Amino acid sequence: MASSDSTSTLPKEKPFGNYSDHEDRMISPITEDGSVDRMGKPAVKARTGNWTSAVLLLVNYGLVTLAFFGVGVNLVLFLTRVLQQDNAEAANNVSKWTGTVYIFSLIGAFMSDSYWGRYLTCSVFQMIYVMGLMLLSLASWLFLVKPSGCGDGELQCDPPSTLGTVLFYISIYFIAFGNGGYQPSIATFGSDQFDEMDPVERHSKIAFFSYFYLALNVGSLFSNSILVYYEDSGKWALGFWTSAGAAAAALVLFLVGTRRYRHFNPSGNPLRRIIQVFVAAARKWTVEVPGNSDMLYEVQGKESAIVGSRKILHSEDFRFLDKAAVPTGEDMHVQAIKNDPWKLCTVTQVEEVKCVMKMLPIWLCTIIYSVVFTQMASIFVEQGATMNTNVAAFRIPAASMSVFDILSVIIFIGIYRNLLIPAMARISKKPKGISELQRMGVGLVIGMLAMIVAGVVEVERLKRVVVPDEPSELSIFWQIPQYALIGASEVFMYVGQLEFFNGQAPDGIKSFGSSLCMASISLGNYVSIMLVNIVTSVTSKRNSPGWIPRNLNSGHLDRFYFLLAALTLIDFMAYLVCAKWYRCIKLDNDDGRQTLVTAL
């Protein structure tokens, strides 16, 4: 792994704090991207960040995701077996919970970018996360899994108590809040450990996002293979306590690396800056924008007016917003006395708003893919539970089939980084091979194919139903292709999203950029709930059981899959238009312009 290569050449370190600022600069250069150490001084490359810190954060993230999937992967079965909900209700509750996890990512991103910084945000939300997991473990152990070992598909659980149910929902939404607030900050904090002004570290930063998604899947592999087996056999409390222990270990590991991390100072409230641009532009609605962008207002010097942010060069998109940066005689008089961004904004502040507006159409086109992705945690599991899960004397938990998704991700990340990117780089003469936008488009296509394959498998499953109330004779291993295709699509879609939104987001809203990926998953879950409700309502009229009834043998889940495939095709065509229109952010560096991402 790249960590060994990047750390082996570093000079031998002295104990932390034994250098003066002058010695630091003489022995090792400082970072050029504005990052600082924990004392707020410019970060020294040899003593902070790089793969030493990044690997620590990757292991931390792996443990956190182990804990998360230890709860999430079997949650739909816990709801049906222990809380005794029907399939549609359980699927919707899982989608609501998963959606809430990722909507909370916007709160974490806001606190990280605005006030707390990424280190403190990660620390606080991890503590909340551990508290939620411990409460869930206690609630399940003391109140819900009664008698012991119930909820295994054979032994019926007692009706859940009101207290137990209330504690359960409080705990899982504590988990949602903690994990959601942590996720966008840890992704950005990990990438902060690399100086993108350094060519070597810039390459490592791009590689980090692939390893970040790899850590997610390696962490969840244990949950989807080992924990899911114990939970499926009725040992729910053991599975939840294991998740709590993993989250606690992750928190300790995160704190261990405190002295080596690189940081970026928070840039203040981005919502305030965005509103200021619109207010200033509205006040000057009749003012004509000059043809020469050099006539627009910008502060002098290397740094922008936004704390911790580099300057952004002017773009031709959304020209009406440029009115906010057109100086008038009154503005210059006010500026000489006191800076008033409600009347006159800098080009960088205006471009920050433009960047958000340009990213939103791309982001909206990723939501349908997230609808496809979320089926793996709900409908796929319910489909697998109605198939033949026996291999000799061993029964395969339906939720454990997501192992094939994880293995697919791990394999395709290797193919992606070691074969595809080098091959495409040679063909296209570009270092990245294919752009992030192109990768996301490929992910959409593969996701559509996954839904078609899932629909075909469901058709075959229904053909092999012998007893209407019993599982089909079709082996659950027929689900492997649909899980593998989802895994392949994730490598292109979600790794591409992480790179794209992090690279295109201005410095002052980097965590917000990472949170867009999580927010896409969130809205995907809510759209999935809406679709399930609409499909159930429309198709269950006139004494028809509908497409997704409690007994899937009397339904038509295949038609639901084909509907998702059709929606993905429509979404893909809209995505092509948006990606073609998109123009990249350009930063004002010492050596001129720098385009961070190549458009499709």
Side-chain angles (χ1 to χ4, degrees):
M1 198 169 155
S3 57
S4 59
D5 295 335
S6 58
T7 56
S8 59
T9 59
L10 296 179
K12 187 175 181 181
E13 296 180 1
K14 293 171 69 174
F16 188 88
N18 287 353
Y19 291 104
S20 67
D21 287 345
H22 178 70
E23 286 180 303
D24 282 338
R25 293 173 180 271
M26 293 295 292
I27 295 173
S28 179
I30 62 173
T31 56
E32 300 176 32
D33 60 355
S35 58
V36 298
D37 60 20
R38 67 190 182 103
M39 305 303 294
K41 299 177 181 180
V44 178
K45 286 186 177 182
R47 297 173 51 228
T48 60
N50 217 314
W51 282 111
T52 303
S53 297
V55 168
L56 196 65
L57 295 173
L58 289 173
V59 176
N60 163 267
Y61 186 59
L63 288 170
V64 168
T65 52
L66 183 157
F68 179 75
F69 284 103
V71 174
V73 74
N74 244 350
L75 186 59
V76 69
L77 294 184
F78 187 88
L79 293 174
T80 54
R81 294 178 182 178
V82 180
L83 296 189
Q84 301 173 12
Q85 299 177 1
D86 60 37
N87 285 330
E89 182 185 8
N92 279 347
N93 280 331
V94 170
S95 293
K96 288 177 186 176
W97 178 74
T98 308
T100 304
V101 170
Y102 295 113
I103 208 70
F104 280 142
S105 68
L106 294 174
I107 297 176
F110 177 80
M111 297 305 298
S112 174
D113 287 332
S114 304
Y115 303 112
W116 289 356
R118 294 188 258 282
Y119 173 80
L120 181 58
T121 302
C122 288
S123 301
V124 170
F125 281 103
Q126 280 188 86
M127 292 176 187
I128 296 171
Y129 184 54
V130 171
M131 289 170 55
L133 285 164
M134 294 183 68
L135 182 59
L136 174 64
S137 303
L138 287 170
S140 302
W141 180 37
L142 297 177
F143 301 107
L144 294 175
V145 186
K146 299 294 181 182
S148 179
C150 72
D152 61 350
E154 297 178 2
L155 179 61
Q156 185 80 11
C157 288
D158 295 338
S161 66
T162 301
L163 176 60
T165 303
V166 169
L167 288 177
F168 169 79
Y169 278 108
I170 291 174
S171 65
I172 63 170
Y173 280 97
F174 255 78
I175 294 169
F177 187 52
N179 187 264
Y182 156 87
Q183 286 220 39
S185 301
I186 195 67
T188 311
F189 192 45
S191 69
D192 286 347
Q193 306 310 307
F194 303 100
D195 180 3
E196 67 178 30
M197 304 303 293
D198 181 309
V200 175
E201 291 196 23
R202 186 190 308 133
H203 178 76
S204 297
K205 184 173 185 175
I206 295 172
F208 171 80
F209 290 108
S210 293
Y211 293 127
F212 182 79
Y213 204 75
L214 180 65
L216 183 154
N217 284 274
V218 171
S220 63
L221 181 61
F222 179 83
S223 302
N224 286 267
S225 57
I226 307 299
L227 286 188
V228 73
Y229 171 76
Y230 283 102
E231 292 171 357
D232 190 68
S233 61
K235 297 181 176 64
W236 296 98
L238 174 63
F240 295 155
W241 277 116
T242 303
S243 293
L251 176 59
V252 171
L253 192 64
F254 178 83
L255 297 175
V256 165
T258 297
R259 303 172 82 179
R260 283 198 61 97
Y261 295 139
R262 294 177 187 171
H263 308 264
F264 282 89
N265 293 322
S267 300
N269 189 341
L271 295 178
R272 182 185 179 89
R273 295 197 300 271
I274 291 172
I275 294 172
Q276 285 172 342
V277 170
F278 282 101
V279 169
R283 283 178 167 177
K284 299 176 181 177
W285 196 250
T286 59
V287 174
E288 184 177 351
V289 178
N292 184 358
S293 63
D294 292 337
M295 301 296 292
L296 300 176
Y297 175 69
E298 182 60 276
V299 296
Q300 299 297 315
K302 181 180 178 181
E303 298 295 327
S304 73
I306 303 171
V307 177
S309 296
R310 289 165 291 178
K311 290 182 180 178
I312 307 174
L313 294 171
H314 177 261
S315 68
E316 296 298 323
D317 303 296
F318 304 110
R319 290 273 295 173
F320 68 93
L321 291 176
D322 288 339
K323 295 176 184 290
V326 177
T328 64
E330 180 185 354
D331 288 329
M332 299 314 294
H333 175 70
V334 172
Q335 288 295 127
I337 302 173
K338 182 182 179 181
N339 181 50
D340 187 2
W342 293 99
K343 294 182 179 180
L344 181 65
C345 302
T346 64
V347 170
T348 295
Q349 185 174 348
V350 172
E351 289 299 321
E352 184 180 62
V353 177
K354 288 184 182 181
C355 287
V356 173
M357 293 178 66
K358 288 189 291 185
M359 288 191 295
L360 286 180
I362 299 294
W363 173 72
L364 289 171
C365 289
T366 66
I367 293 173
I368 289 297
Y369 173 81
S370 294
V371 174
V372 169
F373 174 74
T374 195
Q375 305 312 311
M376 191 170 58
S378 53
I379 299 297
F380 277 21
V381 177
E382 292 175 352
Q383 180 189 36
T386 59
M387 301 174 77
N388 181 7
T389 59
N390 296 316
V391 177
F394 183 76
R395 184 168 66 87
I396 301 172
S400 70
M401 291 299 291
S402 57
V403 166
F404 292 100
D405 163 75
I406 298 168
L407 293 175
S408 176
V409 168
I410 294 172
I411 292 170
F412 271 94
I413 282 181
I415 294 173
Y416 175 80
R417 290 214 55 81
N418 299 313
L419 298 178
L420 180 62
I421 290 181
M424 292 303 298
R426 286 194 296 269
I427 295 172
S428 65
K429 308 299 182 182
K430 298 177 182 178
K432 293 184 179 180
I434 58 176
S435 72
E436 287 85 350
L437 289 174
Q438 290 170 332
R439 298 173 202 176
M440 291 158 65
V442 172
L444 272 173
V445 172
I446 299 176
M448 178 181 65
L449 294 177
M451 290 298 97
I452 294 173
V453 169
V456 172
V457 169
E458 179 63 12
V459 170
E460 291 299 317
R461 190 193 70 79
L462 290 172
K463 287 180 181 178
R464 304 193 190 187
V465 173
V466 178
V467 181
D469 293 331
E470 295 293 327
S472 169
E473 293 184 347
L474 187 69
S475 172
I476 194 173
F477 288 118
W478 276 67
Q479 283 194 310
I480 292 177
Q482 66 200 60
Y483 277 102
L485 284 170
I486 290 290
S489 70
E490 288 175 62
V491 173
F492 288 94
M493 174 56 79
Y494 285 138
V495 174
Q497 273 194 64
L498 282 169
E499 291 184 30
F500 175 77
F501 289 125
N502 187 274
Q504 289 300 303
D507 293 336
I509 51 172
K510 284 291 186 186
S511 293
F512 169 77
S514 296
S515 73
L516 285 177
C517 181
M518 287 73 178
S520 169
I521 300 174
S522 173
L523 286 183
N525 279 273
Y526 291 126
V527 172
S528 177
I529 294 170
M530 180 185 70
L531 277 176
V532 169
N533 287 338
I534 292 174
V535 166
T536 302
S537 176
V538 171
T539 62
S540 60
K541 294 179 179 179
R542 300 178 182 177
N543 298 322
S544 171
W547 290 1
I548 316 175
R550 185 177 184 87
N551 182 359
L552 293 182
N553 291 341
S554 60
H556 273 289
L557 190 58
D558 53 319
R559 296 175 184 175
F560 181 69
Y561 286 136
F562 293 141
L563 173 64
L564 289 178
L567 292 174
T568 307
L569 177 60
I570 296 171
D571 180 61
F572 175 69
M573 291 187 289
Y575 174 80
L576 289 178
V577 175
C578 294
K580 188 70 176 177
W581 165 81
Y582 186 81
R583 295 295 179 270
C584 307
I585 185 175
K586 293 180 180 179
L587 298 174
D588 186 5
N589 299 322
D590 290 338
D591 56 351
R593 300 188 177 196
Q594 179 188 12
T595 302
L596 296 184
V597 180
T598 302
L600 182 65

